[in-house]
Amino acid sequence: MQNFNFFNPVRIIFGRNTIARLGPEAAKAGKKALLVYGGGSVKQNGVYNELTAALKKSGVEWVEHAGVKPNPVLTHTREGVKKARENACDLIVAAGGGSVIDEAKAIAAGAKYSGDVWDFFCGKAAVKDALPLFTVLTLPATGSEMNAGCVVTNEELAQKYSAHGGALFPRVSVLDPETTLSLPPAQVANGAVDAIAHLIESYFTTADRDVAVTDEVVHALARSVVAATTRILKDPKDYDARASMMWSATLALNGLAGCGYGGTSFPNHVIEHSLSALYDIAHGAGLAIVMPAWFKVHLEKAGPERLEKFGAAVFGVKGAAAAIEAFEKFFRSAGAPVRLSEAGIPAADIPRIAKNAMGLITLWGMKLTQAEVEEVLRKAE
Ligand code: NZQ
Ligand code: ZN
């Protein structure tokens, strides 16, 4: 087990009827919020009304920044920074999925910085300060509600890059599983695939194979995601399955599931970000395509040990090949695409996708070559 430094300062308020509790929490940080949300799901499912009533009751005014796109884009983020500055907002409130929370984080940092917010993503500047951020999560997937990262796409350059820094941790995140009852099945699937992806990256890329406690955390969370997804797709009103999914996805990327693994990397994510930068596909869908292919390469290069262990513990199957099949079967059963062709991406584009991935690979200091990325993508044809 490798040394680690685990820190997570995010207060989580979890459960039914908890959105109202964000009001007093936000009021501790400021008087005027930039209220960030997406294409309108929060208006349809009642989250917007509950949240704005809570802010009003606590004496917090707000300026709206709506229209965050899934795979949030730089131009809209820059508009948010401008709005936060012009209106002298002293806090940010975000309601939605990972895209909304990520853009809100970027705005929170951008508002406290004199340069361009993209500087944080392209490695030109480090995030040192940010406006305090409060979130209401409506889509279990990314873990953004309890971590210090965010992902934004520079649509002009087709670069989907990330920024990180302790100042980006939300102060408080409300997780009310009832807000997820309105999710369409495709988003349930995307969220499940993403949570699984967060669990497997460090598990499979660690060089340390004797970190029993974290292996067990990963197995348990992955089993919980698989079980909850199956229940939700069968009965979308199943509150306890929604609750289990929500907390599992948060725990999958809040730092816990990587403790003790030492130096690990995110190869599936780095390849997926190139797919969503170029084709604007959902992050979960892109990961469902990349992961089975990446596992096939992993099996050839690293041997069967990890796949056998994960497959037995999570899917109850024997052998590495059966584990890869079980991943694919789970992704398919949730309705996710598992081949490039199923997402309408031609095999002829593989060199272009791999070339585009090299930007983030360099920024993240990974050893992956363009030929190796192509090798993975060929197995996803
Ligand atoms: O825009 P609205 O109207 O809100 O609709 C959204 C969007 O269309 C909808 N939705 C969200 N909650 C809903 C709902 N619809 C009905 N009922 C609800 N309760 O779902 C659609 C997708 O939302 P989005 O926020 O894009 O999905 P997700 O949470 O999967 O976030 C994906 C983004 O997060 C990044 C991804 O790359 C992608 O850009 N990631 C962020 C990470 C992080 N910050 O740590 C890590 C991840 O690996 C990932 O890269
Ligand atoms: Zn992810």
Side-chain angles (χ1 to χ4, degrees):
M1 181 139 166
Q2 304 297 302
N3 293 0
F4 64 89
N5 183 339
F6 177 67
F7 173 69
N8 197 308
V10 184
R11 178 181 300 281
I12 297 291
I13 300 179
F14 190 97
R16 283 190 172 104
N17 304 319
T18 46
I19 293 175
R21 289 174 56 189
L22 202 75
E25 295 288 346
K28 287 181 207 162
K31 289 202 170 324
K32 197 181 211 181
L34 185 76
L35 176 58
V36 183
Y37 58 95
S41 70
V42 289
K43 291 215 166 154
Q44 280 149 23
N45 61 16
V47 168
Y48 177 90
N49 283 346
E50 274 186 66
L51 177 58
T52 49
L55 293 175
K56 208 168 177 181
K57 199 169 166 202
S58 298
V60 177
E61 289 174 40
W62 68 90
V63 176
E64 304 218 353
H65 182 60
V68 174
K69 261 179 42 57
N71 295 328
V73 291
L74 180 60
T75 44
H76 195 260
T77 306
R78 283 181 178 142
E79 284 168 26
V81 171
K82 195 163 168 259
K83 230 183 256 180
R85 282 201 196 123
E86 282 175 359
N87 291 283
C89 294
D90 44 14
L91 72 152
I92 311 274
V93 175
S99 295
V100 166
I101 297 176
D102 280 7
E103 181 166 321
K105 285 177 173 175
I107 295 169
K112 287 278 200 173
Y113 175 66
S114 57
D116 178 21
V117 64
W118 186 247
D119 291 354
F120 299 129
F121 293 85
C122 67
K124 212 169 142 190
V127 177
K128 296 215 172 79
D129 198 6
L131 290 173
L133 170 66
F134 298 81
T135 87
V136 176
L137 177 70
T138 64
L139 199 176
T142 65
S144 187
E145 65 281 4
M146 202 179 179
N147 69 37
C150 61
V151 183
V152 167
T153 299
N154 181 326
E155 62 272 52
E156 198 189 323
L157 303 176
Q159 291 172 336
K160 188 181 187 189
Y161 287 2
S162 60
H164 304 263
L168 296 176
F169 277 117
R171 289 264 174 102
V172 179
S173 285
V174 168
L175 275 58
D176 178 346
E178 286 190 333
T179 65
T180 70
L181 293 171
S182 56
L183 279 171
Q187 296 301 350
V188 173
N190 289 337
V193 174
D194 193 21
I196 292 285
H198 298 154
L199 292 165
I200 62 102
E201 296 275 34
S202 297
Y203 182 96
F204 281 93
T205 58
T206 174
D208 191 332
R209 296 294 160 86
D210 195 358
V211 191
V213 56
T214 305
D215 281 2
E216 292 305 327
V217 167
V218 168
H219 296 155
L221 289 174
R223 275 198 305 273
S224 160
V225 169
V226 172
T229 307
T230 310
R231 277 171 62 173
I232 292 165
L233 293 175
K234 208 164 143 210
D235 175 11
K237 293 199 178 68
D238 184 337
Y239 174 85
D240 290 310
R242 296 281 188 178
S244 187
M245 178 66 148
M246 201 167 209
W247 190 225
S248 304
T250 299
L251 294 175
L253 198 62
N254 76 343
L256 178 71
C259 291
Y261 283 149
T264 59
S265 66
F266 271 57
N268 293 279
H269 274 75
V270 97
I271 300 174
E272 193 297 309
H273 283 200
S274 179
L275 288 180
S276 35
L278 292 170
Y279 307 97
D280 201 18
I281 64 169
H283 178 58
L287 287 167
I289 294 167
V290 175
M291 274 190 280
W294 184 84
F295 282 131
K296 287 172 193 161
V297 173
H298 173 87
L299 176 58
E300 283 168 14
K301 296 193 173 156
E305 183 211 334
R306 284 307 252 182
L307 275 161
E308 282 171 1
K309 187 170 181 181
F310 192 97
V314 176
F315 297 115
V317 298
K318 205 164 170 245
I324 299 174
E325 267 171 42
F327 273 109
E328 260 196 51
K329 200 169 147 210
F330 171 62
F331 298 156
R332 271 195 202 285
S333 73
V338 292
R339 294 290 181 273
L340 290 168
S341 56
E342 290 169 27
I345 299 170
D349 284 8
I350 287 176
R352 175 173 171 248
I353 302 164
K355 186 162 183 258
N356 183 275
M358 293 315 292
L360 193 54
I361 286 169
T362 308
L363 262 179
W364 282 0
M366 291 171 68
K367 289 208 179 79
L368 221 49
T369 65
Q370 191 170 324
E372 285 168 329
V373 176
E374 286 192 30
E375 187 187 358
V376 171
L377 290 166
R378 294 265 168 238
K379 294 198 188 305
E381 275 181 38

